[in-house]
Amino acid sequence: MARLLDHMRRFRGLSLRDLARHRGGFSHHTYGAVLRGDRPMSTALLIALLGACNVDPGPTERWVSILAVVRPSEVVFRRVLAERPTTPLAPLRHEQRRRRDQ
């Protein structure tokens, strides 16, 4: 699951820092640890990651359902899904990243 999510993040052109900026509460270190498989995935982190990748609510619910099968300890609340931000995170172009880092 983590490999697929990391592939989706890279395909969208998002860095770990972009994910962390998109929705507060998780650092780029946390995203990195989860996507490497060093730390377990949580429902809140999964929803934040999918929101940053501009995944629609229907597929997001399916991802969360899969997480519940893989990690039964993760309880799914519809309220958490409803709080997902509606604005997608636009990928930064290489030039924009350079200018921002200077």
Side-chain angles (χ1 to χ4, degrees):
M1 183 177 216
R3 282 185 184 175
L4 288 171
L5 291 166
D6 194 39
H7 180 73
M8 182 187 324
R9 171 190 68 87
R10 290 172 190 256
F11 179 78
R12 298 283 186 175
L14 301 172
S15 71
L16 296 173
R17 289 180 191 272
D18 293 334
L19 294 177
R21 278 191 292 271
H22 177 65
R23 182 158 175 171
F26 301 108
S27 70
H28 67 280
H29 297 290
T30 301
Y31 282 110
V34 169
L35 294 175
R36 280 191 313 272
D38 295 340
R39 186 172 174 174
M41 177 74 69
S42 71
T43 303
L45 193 132
L46 175 63
I47 291 170
L49 195 151
L50 293 172
C53 290
N54 197 24
V55 175
D56 291 330
T60 296
E61 288 186 26
R62 288 191 288 279
W63 275 97
V64 172
S65 298
I66 292 168
L67 179 63
V69 170
V70 175
R71 296 201 61 224
S73 62
E74 284 298 316
V75 179
V76 180
F77 295 101
R78 289 222 178 253
R79 180 180 56 81
V80 175
L81 289 174
E83 292 174 0
R84 187 177 76 83
T86 57
T87 56
L89 182 64
L92 295 176
R93 297 190 192 283
H94 186 67
E95 299 82 33
Q96 290 173 317
R97 285 186 183 143
R98 255 191 276 145
R99 267 185 270 150
R100 183 191 67 211
D101 294 339
Q102 292 176 356

